[in-house]
Amino acid sequence: MASVPSLVSLCLLVLSHACSAQLEQVTSQHGWTRVRGEQRRECQFSRLSAREPDRRLTSEAGVTDVWDENDDQFRCAGAAALRHTIEERGLLLPAYTNAPKLVYVDQGQGYHGAAIPGCAETFQSQEESQQQQDPRQGFRDQHQKIRKVREGDVIALPAGVADWFYNDAQTPLVLVQIMDTSNPANQLDNNFRKFFLAGNPQQQIQGQRGQFSGQGFQRGESQSQEQRSGNIFQGFDEQFLAEAFNVDTDLARRMKNENDNRGVIVRVEDRLQFLTPEFSEEERSEYQRGRPANGVEETFCSARLKQNINDPSRADVYNPRAGRITSVNSHNLPILRSLRLSAQKGHLYQNAIMAPHWNMNAHSICYFTRGTGRVQIVDENGRSVFDGEVREGQILTAPHNFAVVKRAGGEGLEWVAFKTNDQAKISQLAGRVSSMRAFPEEVIANSFQVSREEARRLKFNRDEVTLFSPGSRSQYRA
């Protein structure tokens, strides 16, 4: 007969595998390749541009900027992008999307809540605990975990998970979101779809692939004529809602928000009240969870959803004369394994250069957060598909395998790159860990028709890794 410890271990193992299976996407790696392949057959990255948002939607407590999905770099990468600017006491209404998304906190701080299906409301007040013992006590709220977010956080959310954001600070909370509409988790078409659980959102926030031209709607509608798409409860019969929620029909009718013109970001009259631990306690808890997982302790309901990539101490590459690179992927944020996405924060100092490279297994969708710079992108035929200046607030996509080089301007250059692979890799063309270093001198000399001395200079004259200091060259090796 099995011992009790053995049975407990077996139960924990089964629970771990069940939660992992719940988190993993239902499609195989072959399904992923098929979807991305279909996108590639439709696309020609012949000319790219650094894009600013194409339409702006104004809400009661903020604005939402949306990039045109019909632009080749979004259509071919299978992605959609938008930016929310939430004012003080602004609440971004609960909603879920048809595709996995990464959210980057560009400015400010606030709170984020995600409703993970099937998970318990683990946050409850002391009064709520007492009420279970004494029913005469007044009712107190309980809910799932709420996370404090701050500038530099990357938040990962699976498709279909409803979430919300709230700004409790006096400064704006700016959120940049990238949705991977070509991900196999999206079983609909490649349009970005946002399903609101409340409010009366503007129709223009929805994906307009094939409809929006960048200058207005094809039917001549101006952006100021905001049509409403409604929340998901508007389509249900009031009687059904009343029975489902066990409420009266008047309350069920109010859930539809049919005459609500506040938009998708509403202002909270008094500060939002909810249960959350102190910020320092939460950060300390996340630090403790950062140690290697044993396969049981992180389940679907307790999975970490965010990681900060602004902290210089977490940099993966650092050059005191050039800048730093910090990555978040499935190694340090395991939920990204199921989303098949990752992100990278780049910070170049004045006039510094990021080594010429190509993305080996992902598209790289770059949102520039600070400063100015120059970027060049080259295709398989050696043609330049982009050669221009970039600045704060623009998005530029470096397609899979296209060669890229970045150089910062006089104010430096910062960006966050959203990548369509949870373990995105680059291959460098120059520097200490480059392809050029891997080639024998004779191969370089014969390939470029240069002398061995010149081949040696090409191979060894730049001794830095990934980030190059301006106007300097490494010591030449004889």
Side-chain angles (χ1 to χ4, degrees):
M1 186 173 180
S3 64
V4 173
S6 299
L7 289 175
V8 171
S9 300
L10 180 60
C11 290
L12 288 173
L13 183 61
V14 171
L15 177 62
S16 173
H17 282 290
C19 293
S20 299
Q22 186 180 8
L23 192 60
E24 290 293 333
Q25 305 294 347
V26 297
T27 52
S28 65
Q29 181 67 26
H30 297 293
W32 170 255
T33 304
R34 176 183 58 80
V35 173
R36 290 288 179 195
E38 289 174 356
Q39 281 297 116
R40 285 197 296 268
R41 285 195 293 272
E42 299 175 353
C43 298
Q44 293 293 330
F45 286 109
S46 57
R47 181 59 57 184
L48 299 174
S49 60
R51 297 298 300 260
E52 295 182 355
D54 294 271
R55 57 191 188 271
R56 167 166 284 194
L57 309 176
T58 302
S59 298
E60 179 185 46
V63 296
T64 300
D65 297 302
V66 187
W67 276 262
D68 180 12
E69 286 181 274
N70 289 308
D71 186 85
D72 280 345
Q73 61 183 310
F74 295 113
R75 184 172 59 87
C76 298
L82 56 83
R83 179 178 62 210
H84 295 294
T85 302
I86 307 173
E87 299 171 1
E88 181 182 5
R89 301 200 325 274
L91 171 67
L92 179 61
L93 292 174
Y96 60 91
T97 62
N98 62 322
K101 67 180 179 181
L102 293 182
V103 182
Y104 176 72
V105 183
D106 187 28
Q107 297 177 36
Q109 64 179 20
Y111 287 93
H112 172 246
I116 310 296
C119 298
E121 299 85 7
T122 55
F123 279 38
Q124 56 181 346
S125 64
Q126 183 178 1
E127 291 87 349
E128 174 67 22
S129 300
Q130 294 172 350
Q131 183 192 4
Q132 295 174 4
Q133 300 176 358
D134 186 358
R136 294 172 298 177
Q137 295 288 336
F139 178 77
R140 295 294 185 270
D141 192 18
Q142 59 182 18
H143 49 72
Q144 288 190 16
K145 178 177 180 178
I146 294 175
R147 298 162 177 85
K148 182 76 174 177
V149 296
R150 59 189 173 94
E151 182 175 328
D153 278 347
V154 171
I155 301 121
L157 285 167
V161 171
D163 73 314
W164 54 269
F165 284 89
Y166 172 68
N167 183 7
D168 69 326
Q170 296 180 351
T171 56
L173 174 62
V174 181
L175 309 171
V176 179
Q177 301 188 11
I178 295 292
M179 283 67 62
D180 184 16
T181 56
S182 285
N183 194 288
N186 176 20
Q187 299 294 299
L188 302 174
D189 56 30
N190 284 327
N191 269 309
F192 158 62
R193 299 169 190 260
K194 198 172 183 73
F195 298 81
F196 282 89
L197 276 65
N200 194 22
Q202 299 95 326
Q203 187 176 12
Q204 293 94 324
I205 200 172
Q206 303 295 353
Q208 305 291 338
R209 188 156 286 161
Q211 301 176 27
F212 187 77
S213 63
Q215 300 298 325
F217 293 99
Q218 291 182 350
R219 292 189 297 273
E221 298 170 338
S222 69
Q223 295 183 32
S224 62
Q225 296 173 329
E226 292 182 343
Q227 295 185 350
R228 301 286 168 172
S229 60
N231 67 54
I232 60 175
F233 294 116
Q234 287 190 17
F236 288 118
D237 180 82
E238 292 171 8
Q239 292 292 340
F240 278 9
L241 288 177
E243 292 185 28
F245 285 89
N246 194 24
V247 296
D248 58 58
T249 54
D250 180 63
L251 181 54
R253 186 181 304 112
R254 289 161 59 188
M255 291 174 65
K256 297 187 176 185
N257 292 119
E258 291 178 331
N259 297 317
D260 189 344
N261 295 317
R262 296 177 298 168
V264 301
I265 306 172
V266 303
R267 194 177 306 280
V268 178
E269 292 184 6
D270 297 317
R271 293 198 174 274
L272 208 63
Q273 300 294 321
F274 45 77
L275 303 170
T276 183
E278 292 297 324
F279 179 70
S280 59
E281 294 177 7
E282 181 180 5
E283 289 298 301
R284 183 162 54 250
S285 175
E286 287 192 8
Y287 174 79
Q288 292 173 351
R289 286 199 302 271
R291 64 185 184 273
N294 62 16
V296 173
E297 58 191 13
E298 182 168 291
T299 65
F300 181 68
C301 292
S302 63
R304 284 192 305 120
L305 300 183
K306 69 183 181 78
Q307 174 97 347
N308 193 278
I309 55 175
N310 261 14
D311 187 350
S313 66
R314 294 183 175 180
D316 300 298
V317 177
Y318 174 63
N319 183 333
R321 297 176 301 278
R324 62 181 182 269
I325 296 287
T326 307
S327 298
V328 55
N329 52 40
S330 57
H331 294 298
N332 51 20
L333 190 60
I335 192 173
L336 293 175
R337 184 177 299 111
S338 63
L339 273 61
R340 296 174 179 174
L341 296 171
S342 60
Q344 183 184 78
K345 179 68 186 295
H347 184 178
L348 284 176
Y349 299 157
Q350 181 181 12
N351 299 323
I353 298 172
M354 183 173 180
H357 65 275
W358 69 86
N359 292 282
M360 298 176 62
N361 56 355
H363 297 303
S364 181
I365 304 166
C366 295
Y367 175 80
F368 296 94
T369 60
R370 305 285 187 280
T372 59
R374 183 181 178 187
V375 178
Q376 294 182 328
I377 303 177
V378 178
D379 69 8
E380 74 277 12
N381 296 311
R383 293 181 302 213
S384 174
V385 296
F386 181 83
D387 182 1
E389 301 295 318
V390 294
R391 62 179 181 272
E392 179 180 340
Q394 292 182 326
I395 286 182
L396 176 64
T397 298
H400 175 212
N401 279 342
F402 281 41
V404 188
V405 64
K406 298 183 181 78
R407 181 167 190 163
E411 301 175 351
L413 181 65
E414 296 182 42
W415 69 91
V416 56
F418 303 91
K419 305 205 173 191
T420 57
N421 194 303
D422 64 288
Q423 297 184 34
K425 300 178 177 65
I426 67 170
S427 182
Q428 299 177 31
L429 290 162
R432 184 149 51 92
V433 293
S434 65
S435 300
M436 200 70 70
R437 281 288 185 100
F439 298 147
E441 290 179 11
E442 286 290 335
V443 171
I444 297 173
N446 283 276
S447 297
F448 294 110
Q449 291 185 305
V450 297
S451 67
R452 289 195 61 181
E453 177 71 16
E454 292 168 321
R456 191 174 296 118
R457 292 205 299 271
L458 285 174
K459 185 171 180 176
F460 294 112
N461 267 22
R462 176 67 79 172
D463 202 39
E464 294 165 302
V465 176
T466 309
L467 303 178
F468 301 160
S469 52
S472 65
R473 296 179 175 85
S474 299
Q475 181 67 36
Y476 169 65
R477 297 182 181 183

